[in-house]
Amino acid sequence: HEWILMNEDSTASIGLTDYAQDALGDLVFVNLPEPEDELTAGEAFADVESVKAVSDVYSPVDGKVLTVNEDLPESINSDPCGAWLITAGEITGTEELLTPEEYEAFLETLDD
């Protein structure tokens, strides 16, 4: 339940979806990687702690961490889709990403 926004400069911002933040509840701590850390699609690159649990955050793509958002967890609790966790570069493996419409359709299957 991570989102990725591809930027015009071939970098991307990665964050948690509203669905994930809502399921976790208010986040109280975010453990982020360091700039230059490698990202591997499907592998955890961070973890978030909420009042309910600690959960891993998985990278949707391969790449390298460029920057981390120091304004967390406050901003993610109020605007999960606007609060990025990291920016990444050297991105590959975007073929399997869902469109926003495909993700919404996927969420509908979870409510059944």
Side-chain angles (χ1 to χ4, degrees), residues 25-48:
D26 283 342
L27 298 180
V28 295
F29 182 75
V30 179
N31 183 29
L32 295 172
E34 295 292 325
E36 300 298 317
D37 282 356
E38 296 291 325
L39 298 170
T40 302
E43 291 189 13
F45 70 88
D47 57 75
V48 293

Side-chain angles (χ1 to χ4, degrees), residues 38-43 59-64 88-94:
E38 296 291 325
L39 298 170
T40 302
E43 291 189 13
S59 181
V61 292
D62 294 333
K64 184 178 284 192
E90 300 178 27
I91 296 167
T92 60
T94 60

Side-chain angles (χ1 to χ4, degrees), residues 37-97:
D37 282 356
E38 296 291 325
L39 298 170
T40 302
E43 291 189 13
F45 70 88
D47 57 75
V48 293
E49 182 178 344
S50 72
V51 294
K52 295 180 181 180
V54 175
S55 297
D56 286 332
V57 180
Y58 297 93
S59 181
V61 292
D62 294 333
K64 184 178 284 192
V65 176
L66 298 176
T67 59
V68 297
N69 188 347
E70 301 291 341
D71 189 28
L72 298 174
E74 294 81 15
S75 61
I76 202 166
N77 289 325
S78 60
D79 185 17
C81 289
W84 52 276
L85 300 174
I86 64 168
T87 61
E90 300 178 27
I91 296 167
T92 60
T94 60
E95 303 82 20
E96 299 295 319
L97 296 176

Side-chain angles (χ1 to χ4, degrees), residues 1-3 15-25 27 52 76 79-81 103-104 106-112:
H1 298 284
E2 294 78 22
W3 58 261
L16 289 178
T17 64
D18 185 51
Y19 178 89
Q21 192 281 325
D22 187 55
L24 290 167
L27 298 180
K52 295 180 181 180
I76 202 166
D79 185 17
C81 289
Y103 181 70
E104 288 297 322
F106 168 73
L107 289 180
E108 289 178 16
T109 68
L110 300 179
D111 296 331
D112 291 71

